[in-house]
Amino acid sequence: MKAKIRKPAWLFAGLGILCIALVLIFFPSKPDPVDPLIAEQAAGYQVVTVMVTGDGFVPNQIELIPGVPAKINFKKTTGFTCIKGMIAEDIKLDVPLKKGNNLVTLDNLEPGTYKFHCDMYMYYGAITIKEKTVS
């Protein structure tokens, strides 16, 4: 007659806990990224985020209020795009775009429309400063 060898349940529980501990040690969770524009908005800036994608700038039309300084975050989430920079000749901007957040500050722009494009002239957009309305 053969004796059955039973593996205790605590052995399996211990192995499970060990596996979870190893995963937590070697793959720690990353902290949630903080939006860099929250503090800027609190300081009185109007803020806009423009996603830089493989299909261009999203949104590609930005409307701003005159007389209020602005911060535009050209957020590049991938390296798989030909867009390496943003150029706006009318306001003398030539901004290299790295992966992640790319903040551009705009102060004292006159009402009007300012066009911008990628460094290869493939993708376009516009920043419009609205006229002040008199109530």
Side-chain angles (χ1 to χ4, degrees):
M1 199 174 187
K2 279 186 164 180
K4 286 188 178 179
I5 300 176
R6 293 187 181 188
K7 297 193 180 192
W10 59 267
L11 179 62
F12 292 115
L15 286 174
I17 291 171
L18 181 62
C19 289
I20 292 171
L22 289 173
V23 166
L24 292 176
I25 289 171
F26 290 106
F27 302 102
S29 64
K30 295 179 181 177
D32 290 336
V34 175
D35 186 350
L37 299 177
I38 292 174
E40 304 296 343
Q41 192 170 19
Y45 286 92
Q46 50 187 325
V47 297
V48 178
T49 297
V50 175
M51 302 304 291
V52 179
T53 69
D55 295 325
F57 301 103
V58 179
N60 63 355
Q61 302 294 317
I62 302 165
E63 290 187 1
L64 299 174
I65 301 167
V68 180
K71 297 265 184 173
I72 301 175
N73 182 14
F74 288 91
K75 189 170 188 171
K76 190 172 178 182
T77 58
T78 180
F80 297 110
T81 176
C82 67
I83 300 174
K84 305 293 183 216
M86 186 279 297
I87 300 168
E89 286 95 1
D90 295 340
I91 51 179
K92 295 176 179 48
L93 284 178
D94 187 353
V95 181
L97 299 176
K98 62 178 175 35
K99 187 174 177 185
N101 296 310
N102 299 277
L103 295 176
V104 174
T105 303
L106 301 174
D107 292 321
N108 302 321
L109 288 179
E110 295 295 321
T113 299
Y114 304 93
K115 296 184 184 273
F116 63 89
H117 56 82
C118 73
D119 51 350
M120 294 180 65
Y121 295 90
M122 292 176 62
Y123 300 106
Y124 295 86
I127 301 167
T128 301
I129 309 298
K130 295 180 178 182
E131 293 281 342
K132 286 187 180 181
T133 57
V134 179
S135 302

